[in-house]
Amino acid sequence: MLSGAPRLRFAPAPTGLPHLGTARTALFNWLYARHCGGTMVLRIEDTNAELATAAHIDQILETLEWLGLDFDGEPVFQSQRGTLYDAAVDRWLDEGRAYVDDGAVRFAVPDDGVTAFDDIVRGRVEFPNASIDDFVVRRSDGSATFFVANAVDDLDLGITHVVRGEDLLNTTPKVVLLRTALGATDMPTFAHLPLIVNKQRKKLSKRRDDVSLISYRDQGVLPEAMVNYLALLGWGPPDDIEVRPLSEIVDLFDLADVNAAPAMFDVDKLTAINGTYVRALDDAGFAAAVEPWVRAEPWGADLDAADLSTVAPLIRERTRLLGDAPGRIAFLFAEPQIDSDDWAAAMTALASDILDRARTAFSETEWNAATLHAELRAIGESFGLKLGKAQAPVRVATTGRAVGPPLFESLALLGRETTLARLDTALAKLASAADSGE
């Protein structure tokens, strides 16, 4: 094994949108490097010219920045290191370790023996050489393959730990063979992270599951929450406290504690953890966090920042995804979209009387949350109802939904004129339904 300060690398291939598995690999490399006071290298595996694009490279850099994962030094691009790979393949050809086959160059795998390596997560791993086909190291177009670039770069860059997904485990013996053929007498420490599976215990699939990191960012997952949750996919803190600052995760993290069993990705748990981080924001922080989503709405584009700062705190406690915030406050700035199921449940036999009494009381009383609360409570008691039952038709009539931010604080912000107008609209709708016999 290599000694000295750890040097780890995150080596994504820029051939598609960054996904959860890629992010988890980046995070575990970063956590161990920072835990040990080592070096973190970003290496872009862009040797496949047909699939690697500048846009995908930008997306990788953007999402890593969003997650807050920094790297040491400038990124290393494999597309700029072709001469090193060519020299390695030429050397193997000269030494009889490789041969030309139909325009490509294949590495000659020994017929007997085993290729073995130690893995922190999986222990000793052995592959019989007889089960490894002679594999291509140089394509017919002259470009080096993934195996060559990995072996050459890990050796040249002094990488001491190779931390990557379990799905790459079967490529490791090929890289080990090539590294040995380059004259290396030691190996990096390998750690193949467990598969990430869905609730059906099936490997996450781009075709079946939402695996895009950008998708979760756009839904309103905070980067701190995403990093916290990704850290739990295969690792757990010794004290079982799962939601904690990143600095504490760095202090506690060790590759030796990574579990080999598949890690289940649970959207509900991610959302719950995100809600914890959202609730921890102060009023100003929460308003700033939800502002991009609010500005994207037709009614929010020109919304005064002071109004948003006033309204946003009303929904913080119940917001788990920032993307849900606009829908919770839209009724304050635009006509509410009445939920038909909520309307049917709230508009009971007494609804018309409650709304009528509320309209009368609200037209005369002081306009503040405490007074509105007291007025509606008294109305409910006059009908033998608790406040929750009495406020249901008022809430649906004014906000469109049965659940939302605190009602009386919302009405205070909505204003007397708009509130009364919405109560009138609801009363007219109930009267029309009664006349038609609905």
Side-chain angles (χ1 to χ4, degrees), residues 91-92 95 97 107 115-116 151 155 173-187:
R91 172 180 172 179
W92 296 328
E95 294 176 353
R97 296 176 181 271
F107 186 80
T115 297
L155 186 59
K174 298 177 182 180
V175 176
V176 169
L177 286 167
L178 296 184
R179 184 184 178 95
T180 301
L182 289 170
T185 57
D186 50 16
M187 291 292 157

Side-chain angles (χ1 to χ4, degrees), residues 393-406:
V394 175
R395 178 183 286 279
V396 174
T398 55
T399 72
R401 297 180 178 274
V403 177

Side-chain angles (χ1 to χ4, degrees), residues 29-99:
N29 275 278
W30 184 89
L31 286 172
Y32 191 69
R34 297 299 176 245
H35 173 79
C36 298
T39 301
M40 186 67 188
V41 177
L42 174 60
R43 190 174 76 210
I44 305 296
E45 297 190 341
D46 56 344
T47 57
N48 190 329
E50 293 182 2
L51 297 178
T53 68
H56 287 145
I57 293 174
D58 289 342
Q59 287 167 343
I60 289 171
L61 297 175
E62 177 186 341
T63 52
L64 291 174
E65 181 179 2
W66 177 68
L67 290 171
L69 305 183
D70 59 336
F71 294 85
D72 302 307
E74 293 298 315
V76 176
F77 292 89
Q78 288 187 330
S79 60
Q80 301 172 6
R81 297 169 63 82
T83 54
L84 294 176
Y85 312 145
D86 289 340
V89 176
D90 289 341
R91 172 180 172 179
W92 296 328
L93 284 169
D94 291 341
E95 294 176 353
R97 296 176 181 271
Y99 60 92

Side-chain angles (χ1 to χ4, degrees), residues 83-390:
T83 54
L84 294 176
Y85 312 145
D86 289 340
V89 176
D90 289 341
R91 172 180 172 179
W92 296 328
L93 284 169
D94 291 341
E95 294 176 353
R97 296 176 181 271
Y99 60 92
V100 178
D101 176 38
D102 291 330
V105 177
R106 292 182 178 274
F107 186 80
V109 178
D111 294 329
D112 53 10
V114 298
T115 297
F117 54 91
D118 293 315
D119 190 288
I120 294 180
V121 179
R122 303 176 188 284
R124 185 71 172 173
V125 181
E126 296 185 351
F127 287 81
N129 289 336
S131 68
I132 306 173
D133 294 333
D134 289 357
F135 53 94
V136 174
V137 290
R138 178 184 287 164
R139 304 180 185 93
S140 57
D141 65 3
S143 62
T145 60
F146 164 86
F147 313 112
V148 178
N150 267 260
V152 170
D153 285 342
D154 284 347
L155 186 59
D156 181 64
L157 298 172
I159 300 302
T160 63
H161 292 71
V162 174
V163 181
R164 55 189 191 167
E166 179 186 345
D167 55 318
L168 294 173
L169 182 65
N170 64 349
T171 70
T172 303
K174 298 177 182 180
V175 176
V176 169
L177 286 167
L178 296 184
R179 184 184 178 95
T180 301
L182 289 170
T185 57
D186 50 16
M187 291 292 157
T189 298
F190 292 99
H192 286 86
L193 307 178
L195 290 176
I196 302 177
V197 298
N198 60 21
K199 285 187 176 181
Q200 290 72 43
R201 298 293 175 178
K202 295 180 180 179
K203 180 183 175 182
L204 285 186
S205 165
K206 294 180 181 179
R207 295 185 298 273
R208 180 180 58 241
D209 306 298
D210 186 0
V211 300
S212 168
L213 197 68
I214 292 174
S215 172
Y216 291 101
R217 181 197 66 184
D218 292 348
Q219 291 175 49
V221 173
L222 293 167
E224 299 86 352
M226 177 59 79
V227 166
N228 193 154
Y229 182 65
L230 289 175
L232 303 176
L233 296 180
W235 174 85
D239 57 8
D240 294 328
I241 299 175
E242 294 187 327
V243 180
R244 64 197 317 150
L246 180 57
S247 60
E248 292 184 11
I249 296 176
V250 170
D251 289 341
L252 295 170
F253 185 84
D254 196 321
L255 287 172
D257 297 327
V258 174
N259 195 319
M264 187 181 75
F265 179 73
D266 185 344
V267 176
D268 293 335
K269 185 171 182 178
L270 168 61
T271 304
I273 289 176
N274 195 62
T276 300
Y277 277 88
V278 168
R279 290 189 295 275
L281 296 171
D282 60 19
D283 288 351
F286 179 69
V290 301
E291 184 171 3
W293 281 268
V294 171
R295 296 295 182 200
E297 297 292 328
W299 51 265
D302 299 319
L303 183 66
D304 187 89
D307 289 339
L308 176 59
S309 295
T310 300
V311 170
L314 295 179
I315 59 172
R316 184 181 61 224
E317 290 301 313
R318 292 187 177 182
T319 298
R320 300 206 299 173
L321 293 172
L322 297 179
D324 294 340
R328 296 179 184 273
I329 60 175
F331 73 92
L332 291 167
F333 307 101
E335 284 299 313
Q337 300 297 312
I338 305 295
D339 183 280
S340 58
D341 291 336
D342 288 351
W343 174 274
M347 300 306 169
T348 60
L350 292 175
S352 182
D353 292 334
I354 292 172
L355 292 175
D356 185 60
R357 292 275 297 276
R359 195 213 181 281
T360 300
F362 289 178
S363 65
E364 301 171 351
T365 192
E366 292 184 42
W367 199 257
N368 58 67
T371 303
L372 295 172
H373 181 279
E375 292 286 357
L376 193 53
R377 178 183 292 277
I379 292 170
E381 290 174 349
S382 71
F383 288 104
L385 299 175
K386 293 183 178 180
L387 179 61
K389 291 290 186 181

